[in-house]
Amino acid sequence: MIGFNDIVQRMTDEIDATGELKNHTVVIKFILMGIPHTKGLEIELFILFLTFYLLTLLGNLLIIMAIISSSQLHTPMYFFLANLSVFDIFFPSVSSPKMLLYLTGYSHTISFHGCASQLFFYHFLGCTECFLYTVMAYDRFAAICHPLRYTVIMNQRVCAVLTVGTWLGGCLHAAVLTFLIFKLPYCGPNEINYFFCDIPVVLPLACADTSLAQMVSFTNVGIVALLCFLLIITSYIRIVYSILKIHSSEGRRRAFSTCSAHLTSILLFYGPVVLIYLRPASTPWLDSVIQVLNNIVTPSLNPLIYTLRNKEVKSALKKVLYQVVNPSAVQVIGLFSS
């Protein structure tokens, strides 16, 4: 039963198609209900989510610092990896802070505009990351299939255009979805059975026909994800074909190793997208678990995925950690070496 304390009542007069006045109760805040069936586990979940969130921030910051500080990593592949680390910092930051506040019992509500902002940035960053994975697949295709022309194909201008394109494409995608969802009137229940605002849980709360918003959001998310996935698959078919033509087993192994981390990240990224947005039936608890994995766990794993089998990144990370832990020793070494 929704009470007056749950929904702030604001009566606004609107003129309908017949010219008559009608009143609407406008919802200006939503109540986040958290993850279903986790009551009594707030402390454990708070510690778990905070740990993953801090690991995500630390791991991706180290990756960015390593790429910036090492001249050997100033190549298109690591430039896009640094962009991925930036997104992996911002992406969980859309929902994690609010979820941590919820678990502490500090705040269970989110304003109407805050909910709209959360949905916008979630889809903006998610779509941009989807485009970025596609660009990274094209980069690997150029490096393996056209190694002699790689520096020409992936020059600085091309990298800059591709990066800006991913940002603008993600922004347009998110703007369309957010406009369609939040131009609808919300005048009834305001309880979101989730830990953040997303299309599947916000749209059913609208008190108007949502068929257009449902169709456009499903089509938009589906087309973007499918198109990017097909481009990635096409790139990797060409990559595998080129690798199989390499005569030495060591050359084939090295070529495959440069792609393995990217493929692992793609599987971790696309799995939740398919399970949440592109399946017919929805289960709140399962959707929440999948979103936790997508929002909190996966961004913390990417630094490990890209460093475990990459000697150049590991070497750069060691230098960064050494400079952070023992800066005085680095200064002394620098004095003697000069």
Side-chain angles (χ1 to χ4, degrees), residues 166-239:
T166 61
W167 282 80
L168 293 179
C171 184
L172 178 62
H173 167 84
V176 170
L177 293 181
T178 306
F179 173 76
L180 286 173
I181 302 302
F182 287 95
K183 79 178 183 67
L184 296 169
Y186 290 85
C187 53
N190 67 334
E191 292 183 350
I192 295 177
N193 294 317
Y194 227 30
F195 62 96
F196 76 104
C197 294
D198 196 12
I199 296 172
V201 291
V202 173
L203 197 56
L205 301 179
C207 52
D209 182 20
T210 61
S211 57
L212 176 63
Q214 286 179 336
M215 181 187 69
V216 173
S217 61
F218 180 84
T219 305
N220 202 344
V221 173
I223 287 178
V224 168
L226 182 61
L227 181 61
C228 290
F229 187 73
L230 289 176
L231 289 173
I232 291 170
I233 291 296
T234 303
S235 296
Y236 272 100
I237 290 174
R238 296 288 304 275
I239 288 171

Side-chain angles (χ1 to χ4, degrees), residues 65-226:
M65 291 172 61
I67 293 173
I68 292 175
S69 63
S70 177
S71 58
Q72 293 181 344
L73 303 183
H74 292 176
T75 62
M77 182 176 75
Y78 295 111
F79 170 74
F80 294 127
L81 177 57
N83 274 270
L84 180 63
S85 294
V86 171
F87 290 120
D88 281 339
I89 289 173
F90 286 118
F91 188 65
S93 299
V94 173
S95 59
S96 294
K98 193 68 179 178
M99 184 58 184
L100 292 173
L101 286 176
Y102 172 89
L103 292 172
T104 59
Y106 180 75
S107 175
H108 289 187
T109 63
I110 184 170
S111 67
F112 184 88
H113 293 98
C115 188
S117 299
Q118 200 174 59
L119 189 144
F120 170 80
F121 283 107
Y122 177 76
H123 283 275
F124 165 51
L125 293 169
C127 182
T128 304
E129 192 164 3
C130 183
F131 289 148
L132 184 60
Y133 278 124
T134 309
V135 170
M136 293 173 74
Y138 175 71
D139 172 70
R140 292 297 83 209
F141 159 76
I144 294 174
C145 298
H146 304 284
L148 299 179
R149 298 176 54 219
Y150 175 65
T151 55
V152 177
I153 296 173
M154 299 301 294
N155 57 56
Q156 290 184 353
R157 182 180 178 182
V158 170
C159 291
V161 169
L162 289 173
T163 303
V164 173
T166 61
W167 282 80
L168 293 179
C171 184
L172 178 62
H173 167 84
V176 170
L177 293 181
T178 306
F179 173 76
L180 286 173
I181 302 302
F182 287 95
K183 79 178 183 67
L184 296 169
Y186 290 85
C187 53
N190 67 334
E191 292 183 350
I192 295 177
N193 294 317
Y194 227 30
F195 62 96
F196 76 104
C197 294
D198 196 12
I199 296 172
V201 291
V202 173
L203 197 56
L205 301 179
C207 52
D209 182 20
T210 61
S211 57
L212 176 63
Q214 286 179 336
M215 181 187 69
V216 173
S217 61
F218 180 84
T219 305
N220 202 344
V221 173
I223 287 178
V224 168
L226 182 61

Side-chain angles (χ1 to χ4, degrees), residues 44-60:
E44 291 84 355
L45 290 176
F46 175 82
I47 295 172
L48 181 65
F49 292 165
L50 180 62
T51 301
F52 272 111
Y53 185 52
L54 293 177
L55 287 174
T56 299
L57 298 181
L58 178 62
N60 286 289

Side-chain angles (χ1 to χ4, degrees), residues 62 65-66 69 314-334:
L62 286 174
M65 291 172 61
S69 63
K314 284 193 288 188
S315 175
L317 277 176
K318 288 178 182 178
K319 292 179 181 178
V320 170
L321 289 172
Y322 184 70
Q323 291 175 0
V324 171
V325 174
N326 197 0
S328 58
V330 173
Q331 292 176 358
V332 171
I333 293 173

